[in-house]
Amino acid sequence: MNPSNFSSDATSDVTNLIDTLYRTESRRVFATLVRLLHDFELADDAMREAFAAAVETWPKDGVPANPRAWLISTGRFKVVDALRRQGRLRDLQPEIAARLDDVADSNAARAGAEIEDDRLRLIFTCCHPAIESNVQVPLTLREVCGLTTEEIASAFLISKATMAQRVVRGKAKIREAGIPFAVPSLNELPERLDAVLATVYLVFNEGYAASQGDSLIRVDLTAEAIRLARLLLELLPDPEVKGLLALMLLHESRRMARVSTDGQIILMEDQDRSLWDRALIAEGTALVEQALRSRRFGAYTLQAAISAIHSESPTAEQTDWNQIVMLYSVLQRIDPSPVVELNRAVAIAMRDGPDAGVSIIDVILGRGDLAGYQFAHSARGELLRRAGRPIEALAAFRVALELARLEPEKRFLAGRIRDLTDS
């Protein structure tokens, strides 16, 4: 590419490409740099330096054949050069080299079973059993997946300050305990699996229903979560890995029908089911059936089974709500939570009428559970609206609107409030 012929339009194209690469590749670049440098802060500095260098040089020199490899190489060089100038390289280099040797030895022992994906490798590192269980998933979401502390705090229904403290503790533990950035052996994988699966699913959920911003869906996150789950399944064909992958595929199959062309949320019962991706549904359903046949399944498989019933139903009215209620009852027994109880209440409302669901939700909220959870109040408002109790529905929707952060959800709730006010 001749720089003298590089037009402003071409420069803009390269800038847009770099923006896209940052959204889709930055955390993979970061993961590899963490493995090489064994330091979160150094890796973050290196990643940012690399992208800054790309902005400066690619419009003049052209886009490299392998952008990710260029970013990793450039980032590592930038950090090493900066450390040399600061006089810190002599102190850090032996430690970094020793840790790289540890990684190499561990991977050599694994031979053909090595994980090729550094991002998945780093997820397993952050889910090391030496790290507190309530720190593992938030640390991974923040450092590996790039979610903001606020987004993670929202997913866990706790304060931003509390979540920030957990992430700091996790990084400190990795540093102080010398936890290796190495692939765990096959017999160590099961003890880390629960945290890894939870992490992947939270990444998917943040993409499927973002906690804040202008867009309901972040395809980069849903696609990455599905990619990681496929890697996990190759590594460890556990029934719950199949269940999680199935659950995400079945949810993803409905993506094109969830939002109107003008960005408005469409409830599942009102969606155009011809837009649902039948190939994803077929793959997800097959995985659910395999997991169920194993009789060693858990919460993800049960949720996937529920999603499969929705996916196979021609209409909301023809959905087997009794079967869904039964599955939610089993799920509540093996993985009890107020959110599962809320979902079961909605399914009961679809089977037995809205008042039946409202009664259960009132009990949940009466206990103090989910008081700050927008979807509990919006679900209650929707059921009250269908039950012909507009004044109570209006109050519930107003509470939900106060709690909502995502613009499409705010528009949806404002529309419900407007309809009830005008009627």
Side-chain angles (χ1 to χ4, degrees):
M1 185 179 296
N2 187 344
S4 64
N5 296 330
F6 212 93
S7 68
S8 59
D9 287 345
T11 301
S12 177
D13 289 343
V14 172
T15 301
N16 290 336
L17 172 63
I18 294 171
D19 288 342
T20 300
L21 283 171
Y22 188 84
R23 289 194 303 272
T24 60
E25 298 287 345
S26 61
R27 302 320 292 184
R28 293 193 204 179
V29 171
F30 173 79
T32 298
L33 288 168
V34 170
R35 174 172 60 84
L36 295 172
L37 300 171
H38 205 279
D39 187 291
F40 284 102
E41 280 69 29
L42 284 178
D44 191 61
D45 289 344
M47 179 194 70
R48 296 181 189 283
E49 289 281 352
F51 275 96
V55 171
E56 182 179 346
T57 62
W58 289 7
K60 296 181 296 183
D61 301 339
V63 178
N66 189 332
R68 191 198 308 174
W70 186 97
L71 289 163
I72 292 167
S73 176
T74 300
R76 181 168 52 174
F77 172 81
K78 292 280 188 182
V79 165
V80 169
D81 187 53
L83 292 173
R84 182 180 291 112
R85 290 197 305 271
Q86 297 168 15
R88 295 174 58 202
L89 185 60
R90 186 175 301 171
D91 295 331
L92 289 176
Q93 191 67 43
E95 184 180 5
I96 292 173
R99 284 169 174 166
L100 287 174
D101 288 342
D102 288 343
V103 173
D105 291 344
S106 176
N107 288 348
R110 287 287 308 281
E114 177 184 2
I115 301 176
E116 296 294 337
D117 188 274
D118 275 323
R119 201 167 180 187
L120 188 58
R121 185 196 311 268
L122 190 49
I123 289 177
F124 274 107
T125 299
C126 291
C127 293
H128 193 281
I131 300 172
E132 297 171 70
S133 59
N134 67 342
V135 171
Q136 292 175 357
V137 175
L139 174 65
T140 310
L141 292 173
R142 178 69 188 93
E143 299 302 327
V144 180
C145 304
L147 300 190
T148 67
T149 304
E150 190 171 2
E151 288 171 335
I152 303 167
S154 175
F156 281 82
L157 304 179
I158 64 174
S159 72
K160 179 180 176 182
T162 300
M163 185 54 70
Q165 291 172 355
R166 290 186 185 180
V167 172
V168 169
R169 286 206 311 273
K171 289 195 288 186
K173 184 65 176 181
I174 289 176
R175 182 175 60 252
E176 293 164 3
I179 294 173
F181 283 72
V183 177
S185 62
L186 287 175
N187 63 345
E188 293 175 320
L189 291 179
E191 67 178 332
R192 303 196 205 177
L193 187 61
D194 286 348
V196 171
L197 293 180
T199 299
V200 172
Y201 190 41
L202 282 171
V203 172
F204 180 85
N205 277 339
E206 183 59 32
Y208 188 74
S211 60
Q212 56 188 324
D214 297 328
S215 300
L216 177 67
I217 301 167
R218 290 181 57 183
V219 179
D220 59 320
L221 292 180
T222 57
E224 178 65 7
I226 290 171
R227 186 186 73 84
L228 290 171
R230 291 190 189 282
L231 286 173
L232 272 174
L233 187 58
E234 291 179 11
L235 179 71
L236 190 67
D238 182 90
E240 271 298 84
V241 180
K242 292 181 181 179
L244 175 59
L245 178 56
L247 176 60
M248 295 190 297
L249 291 173
L250 291 166
H251 283 344
E252 181 71 4
S253 72
R254 298 192 285 272
R255 174 164 56 86
M256 297 302 294
R258 293 179 59 224
V259 181
S260 66
T261 54
D262 59 352
Q264 302 301 316
I265 292 174
I266 303 174
L267 298 179
M268 186 190 294
E269 63 192 80
D270 299 322
Q271 290 174 11
D272 179 355
R273 299 189 178 209
S274 68
L275 297 176
W276 291 2
D277 189 322
R278 291 295 155 185
L280 291 180
I281 291 173
E283 183 182 1
T285 301
L287 287 167
V288 172
E289 292 172 350
Q290 292 173 28
L292 289 173
R293 283 198 297 270
S294 75
R295 298 188 179 277
R296 293 186 294 110
F297 56 84
Y300 294 116
T301 299
L302 286 170
Q303 292 176 74
I306 292 168
S307 191
I309 293 173
H310 285 298
S311 299
E312 295 169 349
S313 304
T315 65
E317 292 75 21
Q318 293 174 278
T319 302
D320 188 346
W321 290 107
N322 190 56
Q323 182 72 7
I324 289 177
V325 170
M326 290 173 59
L327 287 169
Y328 271 125
S329 298
V330 176
L331 182 60
Q332 181 66 20
R333 287 199 298 272
I334 70 169
D335 187 27
S337 78
V339 173
V340 172
E341 195 175 353
L342 172 66
N343 291 335
R344 180 176 176 274
V346 173
I348 288 174
M350 297 299 292
R351 184 190 68 181
D352 301 337
D355 285 319
V358 170
S359 298
I360 299 173
I361 295 176
D362 285 344
V363 171
I364 298 171
L365 293 174
R367 294 196 306 257
D369 295 335
L370 305 183
Y373 188 55
Q374 166 206 330
F375 297 106
H377 297 282
S378 60
R380 183 173 182 272
E382 186 65 23
L383 295 181
L384 287 166
R385 184 184 71 85
R386 299 181 187 196
R389 298 159 63 179
I391 296 176
E392 295 170 88
L394 191 59
F397 281 130
R398 282 174 173 158
V399 173
L401 182 58
E402 289 178 2
L403 295 169
R405 291 185 172 183
L406 197 65
E407 289 302 321
E409 290 169 352
K410 291 179 181 179
R411 290 195 299 269
F412 176 83
L413 293 166
R416 283 288 194 257
I417 291 170
R418 188 168 51 251
D419 291 344
L420 287 167
T421 304
D422 294 343
S423 62

